[in-house]
Amino acid sequence: MEVKRRTVRSLVTKLGSVSEQTRTEALAELRLLSKHDAEIRPMISEAGAIPYLAEILYSSSHAFQENASATLLNLSITSRDSLMSTRGLLDAISHALRHHSTSTSSAAVQSSAATLHSLLVVDSYRPIIGAKRDIIHSLIEIIKTRNSPLRSVKDALKALFGIALYPLNRHQVIALGGVQPLFSLVVNGGRAGIVEDASAVIAQIAGCEESVDEFKKCCGIGVLVDLLDLGTGSGHRVKENAVSALLNLVNFGGERAAEEVKETAMQVADGIADVAQNGSAKGKTKAVALLKILVDDGNMVRDSYFSSLLDQSESL
């Protein structure tokens, strides 16, 4: 154990060397160690590496950016508190994301977004990161840029999802123009996993009254309903996200949005019922809740099939 500590301290000291070659070698070694040895990650943090790594994200060297961002991602697995308590870390990550299409390498963008997603696992960090409007703006820019690599888009979506888990962050995503590019990904997202990830973010931001007008501009309710049409072949996770979004619109969008959801969702009652019967535990609960709203509102006839689904939920 002590040998590892001495090795780490030596490598971190070399990050401050005037020799570029020495810094390069030390950084590459720290990346490998942090990837393969979970025991050594806290030692790297304790040795004071994080401020160096954050500063390196401003480097014009892609190799430096990639090694530093990958090391930060590895450290975020076990040393989240150390990262979040480092002054300027979020600003450095924001810088890397902001220059996603110019001076930051794709790999560094992906690692930076993935680091945010890892940090956002901690509930108390969500309002802190969500308060960084420049981070949210940069993530939105990544998903709306046509030539962004697939992995960059997916990592940005996962970070946005983590941000939107905190209710007070949702209006920021909407205010910064996130709704239209999210729905564009759903409508045009033929790439693997994109529709699932984008619809997951949409489901979260639907739980915010500001979402209604922006969803209307994108025909959002219609898009969500289409995802539940059994003929579209949407995956179960996508359909669960659509149900969640529609239910959130009913609960948070006001009377006008609730009425539109009730009228439109009636067309895909079979799709909602499919989620109620075959979805995850959480998906089933939300689908049953949405079906109950449709039945209680009188928009849908409570036949034997729907009655059995609702009765089963009431008996749990």
Side-chain angles (χ1 to χ4, degrees):
M1 185 74 73
E2 188 56 36
V3 172
K4 288 184 178 181
R5 290 186 189 281
R6 285 199 300 268
T7 299
V8 167
R9 284 196 294 266
S10 174
L11 290 171
V12 171
T13 298
K14 290 178 180 178
L15 291 180
S17 171
V18 295
S19 167
E20 183 174 331
Q21 182 65 29
T22 299
R23 295 198 306 274
T24 300
E25 292 172 355
L27 187 56
E29 184 65 19
L30 285 169
R31 176 180 182 175
L32 287 174
L33 290 173
S34 64
K35 178 179 180 180
H36 298 294
D37 190 342
E39 191 177 59
I40 213 167
R41 291 173 193 145
M43 299 179 192
I44 294 173
S45 300
E46 291 163 7
I50 297 174
Y52 284 112
L53 297 171
E55 183 64 28
I56 291 170
L57 291 183
Y58 293 95
S59 169
S60 60
S61 165
H62 282 189
F64 271 42
Q65 296 170 7
E66 290 169 12
N67 283 329
S69 59
T71 305
L72 287 169
L73 174 57
N74 295 336
L75 295 181
S76 73
I77 299 170
T78 54
S79 301
R80 295 186 179 99
D81 288 347
S82 297
L83 266 68
M84 286 297 291
S85 63
T86 299
R87 184 177 180 180
L89 173 75
L90 293 180
D91 291 334
I93 289 175
S94 175
H95 173 87
L97 296 174
R98 187 165 60 253
H99 294 87
H100 66 96
S101 61
T102 53
S103 58
T104 307
S105 76
S106 295
V109 169
Q110 292 152 16
S111 292
S112 296
T115 298
L116 285 176
H117 180 245
S118 178
L119 293 171
L120 287 159
V121 168
V122 181
D123 291 357
S124 60
Y125 295 160
R126 292 170 188 163
I128 297 171
I129 294 172
K132 296 282 189 179
R133 289 170 57 90
D134 49 343
I135 285 179
I136 297 176
H137 180 265
S138 296
L139 292 170
I140 292 170
E141 286 298 310
I142 290 169
I143 69 170
K144 73 189 288 187
T145 299
R146 188 176 297 275
N147 62 348
S148 288
L150 173 62
R151 185 176 164 189
S152 296
V153 174
K154 287 180 69 66
D155 285 327
L157 286 170
K158 289 181 185 301
L160 283 169
F161 176 79
I163 288 169
L165 285 174
Y166 182 65
L168 297 183
N169 288 339
R170 294 168 188 165
H171 79 279
Q172 290 278 40
V173 178
I174 294 167
L176 291 170
V179 173
Q180 190 275 330
L182 284 167
F183 274 105
S184 291
L185 288 176
V186 169
V187 173
N188 304 312
R191 297 186 288 181
I194 291 294
V195 175
E196 181 176 316
D197 291 338
S199 60
V201 182
I202 288 170
Q204 291 301 317
I205 63 173
C208 169
E209 63 179 345
E210 292 90 346
S211 66
V212 177
D213 290 338
E214 292 302 313
F215 276 39
K216 184 175 287 290
K217 293 175 184 177
C218 306
C219 302
I221 292 176
V223 172
L224 293 169
V225 166
D226 285 345
L227 292 176
L228 286 164
D229 188 326
L230 294 177
T232 61
S234 299
H236 278 298
R237 292 290 296 278
V238 172
K239 288 190 284 189
E240 287 189 19
N241 291 336
V243 165
S244 180
L246 291 171
L247 186 60
N248 274 339
L249 284 170
V250 171
N251 290 333
F252 297 96
E255 184 177 345
R256 182 165 52 91
E259 287 304 314
E260 185 175 352
V261 169
K262 291 172 187 176
E263 292 175 9
T264 313
M266 185 176 60
Q267 304 167 22
V268 289
D270 287 343
I272 301 170
D274 179 58
V275 176
Q277 188 169 39
N278 302 308
S280 66
K282 187 179 291 187
K284 288 178 180 179
T285 300
K286 292 183 177 182
V288 167
L290 187 56
L291 282 175
K292 191 172 187 304
I293 288 169
L294 298 181
V295 169
D296 290 349
D297 195 61
N299 283 335
M300 189 177 76
V301 177
R302 181 167 174 155
D303 63 18
S304 58
Y305 175 56
F306 293 122
S307 291
S308 67
L309 286 174
L310 297 175
D311 291 342
Q312 286 173 22
S313 72
E314 291 169 0
S315 66
L316 293 178

